[in-house]
Amino acid sequence: MRKVNTAIRFLETLSIPEGPKAGEQLKLAPFQKKFVRGALADGVQVAVLSIGRGNAKTALSAGIALGAVMGKWDDQPRREIIIAARTRDQGRIAFDFIVGFMRSLSGDEQKLFTVRRSPRLEIEYEGDGGGHYIRVIAADGKSALGSAPTLVLMDERGHWAADQGDDLEHALMSGLGKRGGRALIISTSAPSDAHPFSVWLDEQQAGVYVQEHRPAPALPADDLESLKEANPGAVHGIGSSIEWLQGQARRAIARGGSTLTSFRLYNRNERVSGESRDVLITVDEWLNCETAELPDRQGQVVIGIDLGGSASMTAAAFYWPETGRLECLGTFPSKPSLLDRGQKDGVSGAYVEMQNRKELSTLGDQTVPIAPWLKEVVGQIEGEEIAAITADRYKQAEFGEALDMAGIRASVIWRGMGFKDGSEDCERFRRAAFDGKVQSAPSLLLRSAFADAVCLRDPANNLKLAKARSTGRIDAAAATVLAVAEGARMMGRPMRKGGRILWA
């Protein structure tokens, strides 16, 4: 407690170095004091903060770094503070905040600092015995090997490059153990549950303090209360104002696409993919297809099938073109368990939640037996007239054999998942979704699948469905695309009004 109180008192002696309130004395907001208390509490080795962009998380951490190198609450000799960032320029933001805060100190204290900007960003503090440093390093794991920091600041960890970022984090965490150091891991939300920053937030671990300001999913981008939740600094005059955030939200809604996705990721701190490649359908576009009042099962039903292997999901989508009703079911083998599989795929307990919502089931041992599974699929729509079953021709022989074993008699339409058939199917699905002809109950299974579904383009601008990440499960999205596209083709065919003409 003494350490925490000392840190808060020190931080509030500093002056704001830049912005509209430059020169004013720093006054910590409640959420900032909460993070300082959690980060510097006894027994805490790692403190993780996730908050919307512009809420002074880097400035707060820079102030803690300055106090740490001065020994305000850590009296170890030869203290070493490391600021780690994706790039040198990103690390310079925290570095410049520290230099700005130094100007708040007395003239005698300022003389104890030496600031170097070449060959690397470095601050040396000669007080308290000397030999204390603050250094900036970029996301290259080798640059941190051999270090023994007393404090590490990992800035915007949710957006480091995958391989180099992981290497750097591992090198820094191993170095912290040498001197009982602490790590401050700060960032806006990572784009997926699989990212290491998301894992830090989601997994409860001893010695790890977590503070996350993330609103509930599926809310309108301009929802006031959730904007305040993701941006607690706005209420206290820190960073962007609520009025500005709402204005930007409305602009993002009007523009849609990647603009809206980026606003959700960075300003609303939502865990959505910031994928700049062609997404099949954005989060908000899919949410427009979800409804609490589903249309009736009316007319013929089209079944889209995507067969998986031992690791992949097997999925079936049911689409009634006359009303636009869509239902979807996913199935995994029973081994490993859904919880273990979710941990491996980086989605934590999402698969278990899908099972509880009756969107996901298990069947078989190491693989899903296709014939028994097809019987379950047809059982979901017992009494309905099947217009067609559409599936990937890649597994045509295996699927045909299973249909015979299951005793299912229905028209089967084979489609390719490459650029030729895939481009038409993706565009037909998009058009149906945008025209309000796809209506689904809120589905965690489909939200997860569409979040991982991107489209690759060939030189002729044709589309092909692909995964945004290697462990993504887009099987439900693929089955939905097949079913909806075939339903759209059915509705586009002219109806026969009379008998056929026989020419003699």
Side-chain angles (χ1 to χ4, degrees):
M1 183 61 70
R2 182 186 63 82
K3 185 184 298 184
V4 170
N5 292 334
T6 301
I8 292 175
R9 283 196 301 269
F10 170 75
L11 290 170
E12 293 192 332
T13 64
L14 303 176
S15 297
I16 300 172
E18 59 184 58
K21 295 186 177 182
E24 296 182 18
Q25 194 161 336
L26 186 66
K27 181 173 177 58
L28 297 181
F31 77 94
Q32 293 174 315
K33 288 184 178 179
K34 180 182 178 182
F35 180 68
V36 173
R37 292 191 181 101
L40 300 182
D42 293 337
V44 171
Q45 290 88 45
V46 179
V48 189
L49 174 64
S50 175
I51 196 169
R53 178 171 287 179
N55 282 272
K57 58 185 178 295
T58 302
L60 176 64
S61 301
I64 294 174
L66 178 60
V69 81
M70 294 177 69
K72 294 295 184 180
W73 53 84
D74 184 354
D75 56 1
Q76 288 191 61
R78 302 182 64 81
R79 295 178 290 275
E80 182 181 9
I81 318 299
I82 292 181
I83 300 171
R86 179 172 182 171
T87 63
R88 184 180 186 274
D89 286 341
Q90 179 69 43
R92 190 176 61 189
I93 297 173
F95 183 86
D96 288 343
F97 269 119
I98 295 172
V99 174
F101 284 139
M102 284 162 46
R103 300 191 185 104
S104 309
L105 306 175
S106 66
D108 290 339
E109 287 181 315
Q110 290 187 42
K111 292 177 182 178
L112 299 174
F113 288 92
T114 302
V115 178
R116 303 183 183 95
R117 298 183 182 272
S118 181
R120 64 179 177 180
L121 299 174
E122 183 178 87
I123 298 173
E124 181 179 359
Y125 179 62
E126 298 173 1
D128 194 21
H132 313 294
Y133 292 90
I134 298 177
R135 296 187 175 97
V136 174
I137 61 175
D140 177 2
K142 296 181 178 61
S143 65
L145 292 175
S147 63
T150 53
L151 179 71
V152 167
L153 165 59
M154 301 186 204
D155 196 17
E156 291 298 349
R157 176 65 183 96
H159 306 283
W160 290 6
D163 294 337
Q164 288 184 330
D166 291 349
D167 289 344
L168 177 57
E169 180 185 304
H170 297 155
L172 291 172
M173 296 303 292
S174 63
L176 282 171
K178 300 176 184 178
R179 303 179 64 181
R182 295 174 188 252
L184 306 181
I185 307 177
I186 64 172
S187 181
T188 53
S189 280
S192 73
D193 294 328
H195 196 281
F197 182 69
S198 301
V199 175
W200 278 114
L201 293 168
D202 295 343
E203 292 186 358
Q204 294 185 354
Q205 304 173 64
V208 178
Y209 171 76
V210 173
Q211 184 172 324
E212 185 176 22
H213 299 267
R214 178 162 62 104
L219 293 173
D222 59 350
D223 178 72
L224 180 59
E225 291 306 314
S226 58
L227 278 174
K228 290 179 180 178
E229 185 177 353
N231 300 273
V235 182
H236 302 281
I238 298 172
S240 307
S241 66
I242 287 294
E243 292 75 16
W244 184 90
L245 287 167
Q246 282 193 302
Q248 290 297 106
R250 295 185 184 110
R251 170 180 166 271
I253 291 171
R255 294 189 64 178
S258 61
T259 301
L260 182 54
T261 302
S262 296
F263 182 82
R264 285 191 177 277
L265 178 61
Y266 297 119
N267 296 100
R268 288 181 57 82
N269 200 38
E270 295 186 42
R271 199 176 292 178
V272 298
S273 176
E275 180 62 59
S276 59
R277 287 180 289 179
D278 240 343
V279 292
L280 176 65
I281 189 170
T282 67
V283 175
D284 289 86
E285 288 165 351
W286 170 250
L287 291 178
N288 289 333
C289 298
E290 292 188 345
T291 177
E293 298 181 5
L294 276 176
D296 295 332
R297 288 181 167 185
Q298 184 176 319
Q300 295 180 312
V301 61
V302 180
I303 305 177
I305 300 290
D306 187 87
L307 296 181
S310 58
S312 301
M313 180 189 297
T314 295
F318 312 98
Y319 181 61
W320 285 262
E322 287 190 22
T323 61
R325 181 183 178 116
L326 174 69
E327 300 175 13
C328 196
L329 173 69
T331 305
F332 273 124
S334 59
K335 292 182 180 179
S337 68
L338 290 180
L339 183 59
D340 290 342
R341 193 182 293 272
Q343 298 293 336
K344 182 180 178 181
D345 287 354
V347 296
S348 210
Y351 292 154
V352 176
E353 186 177 349
M354 291 177 197
Q355 184 182 42
N356 294 336
R357 294 162 62 112
K358 297 184 179 180
E359 301 166 2
L360 187 64
S361 63
T362 58
L363 185 67
D365 191 18
Q366 300 291 337
T367 62
V368 174
I370 303 175
W373 178 77
L374 284 172
K375 289 182 180 179
E376 282 196 6
V377 166
V378 174
Q380 297 285 322
I381 52 169
E382 188 175 355
E384 299 292 321
E385 182 182 356
I386 300 175
I389 298 175
T390 177
D392 182 3
R393 68 167 62 95
Y394 176 71
K395 295 190 177 182
Q396 182 171 347
E398 185 180 6
F399 187 66
E401 292 168 3
L403 282 173
D404 291 338
M405 290 176 62
I408 297 172
R409 298 291 179 263
S411 173
V412 180
I413 297 171
W414 303 105
R415 302 291 291 176
M417 300 302 285
F419 289 112
K420 183 178 183 295
D421 291 346
S423 185
E424 180 193 340
D425 290 349
C426 287
E427 286 296 349
R428 283 187 180 272
F429 167 76
R430 281 175 164 175
R431 189 177 297 114
F434 297 157
D435 290 344
K437 296 178 180 177
V438 178
Q439 298 290 306
S440 167
S443 170
L444 183 59
L445 171 67
L446 286 171
R447 287 181 194 173
S448 175
F450 285 123
D452 280 322
V454 297
C455 293
L456 305 181
R457 290 184 182 268
D458 70 2
N461 215 31
N462 295 307
L463 300 177
K464 179 175 74 171
L465 197 60
K467 296 179 181 180
R469 60 189 181 95
S470 60
T471 56
R473 303 293 170 219
I474 65 169
D475 309 82
T480 299
V481 168
L482 289 170
V484 173
E486 181 56 32
R489 281 188 288 271
M490 283 175 50
M491 298 304 291
R493 296 181 189 121
M495 299 288 291
R496 290 196 180 98
K497 296 182 179 179
R500 298 179 181 179
I501 298 175
L502 177 64
W503 295 93

